[in-house]
């Protein structure tokens, strides 16, 4: 074949393959919308997720599925009232290919609504709202974190082996309510009784009246969900009220992840359950931690892991469609089938797109939530109401 005929043949082959707009798009930058808090009580959580996500992308040469990545960033302030406007900026104005976010369950519910209505792929690297992989489960929605039920249930199993009565206290919104519900389900199944459920509005930190009430009730145990700055303040107030040595305090590991330094002595010895711990014995975690320390000069926490895994999951899906995010059905199939080699240990996704994962018992020691034991292996959210 001479040169001219070869060129003609190649051009013809390309025409048959059909250089569609989607393929043209598959060669440009992949637009990722990061909707996370960078201000407010969950600011540190949002930053850790961003760091983890970017670490994986950097390890992959700045690309996912062979495509260079471009970030569009919105600070959602963990404010549900601004959520729809914020997500619209990413979907309608910036026209991102993928939405990644967020931390706060109420904000994530609003975000997922827009994602559903516009058929935009959404990967949730934290917010645990049970509905997102339950009643509201959807083909375009994936989670690399947990459902609120999961850590609550794991902690309830453990506390149920040790105590018969408990008082719960949390912020009154989806995450707090659902982490208490999961706790109560397992705790009462084990023969315990939740004798009082206390709440205060998010993100209030006036804990004094609640501490007075807990001291008067004298339960065998206290279970709380707070995170970020609010968690640090609560644990310090609990110790200052003299309760730390009289009524054992438990919670999902969010209470002590990324907050131990701020808690000082008050946080030492706290026992929590979570799908991540310091001192896990796996090579992936060791490499991840070394990389994170090098990039950010601080140790990673569960939020960094969840962000890293969001990028890993997206990368696995995009690799299967050679970076062409417009091949939605194939992309979704690949995401569903992905096996994630996470720093937390390997996990796969349930049919509702939520991680099926181990929950660890951890004990706060210095700045670490040290791995003590596995509380529940391969815990799957019940995905109540999911019809997928
Ligand atoms: C949530 O709102 O779903 C949430 C927030 C912070 C956490 C965990 C869950 O640490």
């Amino acid at each position: 074949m001479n040169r001219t005929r070869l060129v003609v043949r190649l051009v013809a082959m390309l025409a048959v393959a059909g250089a569609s707009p989607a393929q043209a798009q598959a060669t440009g930058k992949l637009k990722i919308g990061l909707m996370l808090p960078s201000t407010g009580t969950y600011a540190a959580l949002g930053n850790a997720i961003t760091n983890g996500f970017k670490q994986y992308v950097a390890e992959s040469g700045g690309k996912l599925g062979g495509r260079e990545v471009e970030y569009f960033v919105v600070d959602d302030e963990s404010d549900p009232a601004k959520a729809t406007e914020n997500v619209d900026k990413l979907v309608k104005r910036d026209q991102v290919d993928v939405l990644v976010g967020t931390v706060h369950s109420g904000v994530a519910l609003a975000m997922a609504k827009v994602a559903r209505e516009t058929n935009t792929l959404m990967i949730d690297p934290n917010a645990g709202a049970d509905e997102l992989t339950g009643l509201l489960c959807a083909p375009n929605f994936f989670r690399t974190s947990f459902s609120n039920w999961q850590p609550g249930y794991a902690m309830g199993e453990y506390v149920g082996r040790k105590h018969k009565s408990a008082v719960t206290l949390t912020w009154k919104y989806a995450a707090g309510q659902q982490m208490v519900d999961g706790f109560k389900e397992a705790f009462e199944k084990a023969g315990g009784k939740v004798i009082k459920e206390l709440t205060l509005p998010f993100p209030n930190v006036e804990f004094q009246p609640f501490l007075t009430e807990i001291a008067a009730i004298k339960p065998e145990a206290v279970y709380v969900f707070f995170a970020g700055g609010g968690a640090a303040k609560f644990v310090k107030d609990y110790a200052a009220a003299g309760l730390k040595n009289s009524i054992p305090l438990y919670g999902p590991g969010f209470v002590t992840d990324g907050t131990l330094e701020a808690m000082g002595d008050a946080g030492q010895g706290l026992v929590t359950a979570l799908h991540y711990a310091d001192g896990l014995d796996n090579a992936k975690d060791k490499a991840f931690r070394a990389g994170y320390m090098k990039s950010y000069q601080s140790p990673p926490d569960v939020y960094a892991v969840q962000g890293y895994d969001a990028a890993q999951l997206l990368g696995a899906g995009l690799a299967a469609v050679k970076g062409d995010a417009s091949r939605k059905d194939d992309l979704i199939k690949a995401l569903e089938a992905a096996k994630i080699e996470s720093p937390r240990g390997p996990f796969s996704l349930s049919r509702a797109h939520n991680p099926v994962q181990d929950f660890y018992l951890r004990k706060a020691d210095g700045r670490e939530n040290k791995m003590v034991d596995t509380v529940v292996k391969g815990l799957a959210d019940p995905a109540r109401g999911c019809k997928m």
Side-chain angles (χ1 to χ4, degrees), residues 42 45 103-106 126-129 146 148 173 175 179 225 227 254 303:
Y42 289 159
L45 289 60
V103 169
H104 184 287
S105 277
N126 186 72
F146 57 89
N148 289 324
Y173 80 104
M179 282 190 223
F225 162 70
F254 308 114
Y303 309 105

Side-chain angles (χ1 to χ4, degrees), residues 7 36 54 127 129 137 184 209 229 232 250 255 267 357 363 368 384:
V7 170
L36 292 160
K54 290 188 171 171
C137 72
K184 190 172 169 182
Y250 300 98
V255 175
Q357 56 195 338
K363 188 166 185 182
E368 299 206 323
R384 291 172 183 136

Side-chain angles (χ1 to χ4, degrees), residues 103-124:
V103 169
H104 184 287
S105 277
V107 178
L109 285 162
M111 212 178 151
K113 183 165 184 286
V114 173
R116 255 193 321 278
E117 286 164 2
T118 57
N119 195 22
T120 308
L121 177 64
M122 172 168 169
I123 299 184
D124 172 359

